[in-house]
Amino acid sequence: MENVIIFDHPLIQHKISIMRSKDTSCKEFRELVKEVTMFMSYESLRDLPLREVEVETPLMTCKTKVLAGPEMAVVPILRAGLGMVEGILELVPTAKVGHIGLYRDEVTMQPHEYYCKLPPNIGERQIIVTDPMLATGGSAVAAINFIKERGGKNIKFMCMIAAPQGIETLTKAHPDVTIYCAHLDEKLNDRCYILPGLGDAGDRIFGTK
Ligand code: PRP
Ligand code: URA
């Protein structure tokens, strides 16, 4: 699928393997989420729009390029998506940050919205939705629905681990959204957790288990 990018870079695979281990600490896990997000961002932001400016070097004046406005918007899906925000801001410190609060009902697995606040002029911005886990795809589809209802158009989705079901559901619901994923895993278990996966990403980032 042309709008699904799975990263096969050795550094990303190495870091994902450390994240998977149940013996990796909360501190290390959080740092790895940030690092992997930085690596993925570098590639996934290669089409950010540029504008031409004139700069005087010590030798002469030249025309050169800088990022065009308005600044992009990073929109983490709470909670776990928050862990990926810093990795993007490290590369694009002027990005604005919106938030979408969703949790999966543990019985029905359906996403429930509890918060949504997006930067102004959202329709003019490049939007990166972040969530480490794309399992059934329900949360990602719901979050992108909310963003589109509020005017968002140019949307990318970035995650650490995806299940085939999540990729299928998200690409069907939002074929215009490119998915960037550090690793594609095998399947879901009967509680809709990704296998082999890395467990509950929110609990591992925030130490709430
Ligand atoms: C996790 C994860 C995703 C969602 C993925 O969040 O961070 O948002 O599940 O599952 P889905 O693709 O089947 O919708 P969770 O609901 O556990 O909330 P949390 O981030 O607050 O831990
Ligand atoms: N959410 C998680 O945090 N992990 C999974 O494996 C699935 C959903």
Side-chain angles (χ1 to χ4, degrees):
M1 273 180 278
E2 67 190 31
N3 60 343
V4 181
I5 314 288
I6 313 277
F7 287 86
D8 57 0
H9 194 287
L11 292 177
I12 292 185
Q13 299 316 310
H14 179 82
K15 287 174 193 294
I16 291 284
S17 299
I18 302 172
M19 287 170 67
R20 288 190 194 279
S21 168
K22 64 179 175 44
D23 296 325
T24 296
S25 71
C26 172
K27 171 182 176 288
E28 267 182 295
F29 190 89
R30 204 181 282 155
E31 288 167 357
L32 288 161
V33 171
K34 176 179 167 185
E35 287 168 9
V36 171
T37 307
M38 276 175 67
F39 291 146
M40 289 200 290
S41 302
Y42 189 73
E43 183 57 27
S44 56
L45 298 178
R46 65 162 51 250
D47 59 355
L48 276 182
L50 295 169
R51 67 183 168 89
E52 200 168 71
V53 292
E54 209 170 74
V55 167
E56 224 180 298
T57 79
L59 302 174
M60 63 178 283
T61 299
C62 68
K63 289 194 192 312
T64 185
K65 304 230 167 117
V66 295
L67 290 177
E71 295 96 350
M72 54 178 266
V74 186
V75 182
I77 301 179
L78 305 181
R79 289 172 302 169
L82 279 177
M84 297 173 69
V85 173
E86 248 191 88
I88 302 179
L89 293 183
E90 197 79 29
L91 297 187
V92 190
T94 56
K96 304 294 184 242
V97 183
H99 295 89
I100 292 191
L102 288 178
Y103 69 90
R104 274 197 331 179
D105 183 292
E106 292 198 350
V107 177
T108 65
M109 295 301 156
Q110 289 308 303
H112 290 273
E113 184 196 5
Y114 59 87
Y115 188 76
C116 183
K117 181 116 184 159
L118 301 176
N121 310 324
I122 195 71
E124 293 159 35
R125 299 177 190 275
Q126 169 67 67
I127 301 164
I128 313 282
V129 178
T130 63
D131 192 328
M133 309 306 275
L134 181 63
T136 64
S139 304
V141 169
I144 293 169
N145 284 341
F146 294 140
I147 293 172
K148 286 185 175 175
E149 280 162 19
R150 289 161 175 87
K153 292 186 195 82
N154 191 1
I155 304 170
K156 297 174 193 267
F157 179 82
M158 198 187 292
C159 64
M160 301 275 134
I161 309 261
Q165 184 182 326
I167 298 267
E168 194 184 331
T169 302
L170 182 52
T171 48
K172 269 200 187 131
H174 295 293
D176 56 309
V177 172
T178 302
I179 302 172
Y180 297 88
C181 168
H183 201 275
L184 179 62
D185 270 16
E186 282 168 34
K187 58 181 178 186
L188 299 178
N189 70 8
D190 56 5
R191 292 176 52 230
C192 292
Y193 272 79
I194 299 176
L195 294 177
L198 44 72
D200 186 307
D203 283 343
R204 297 204 61 186
I205 291 170
F206 296 109
T208 45
K209 196 151 186 187

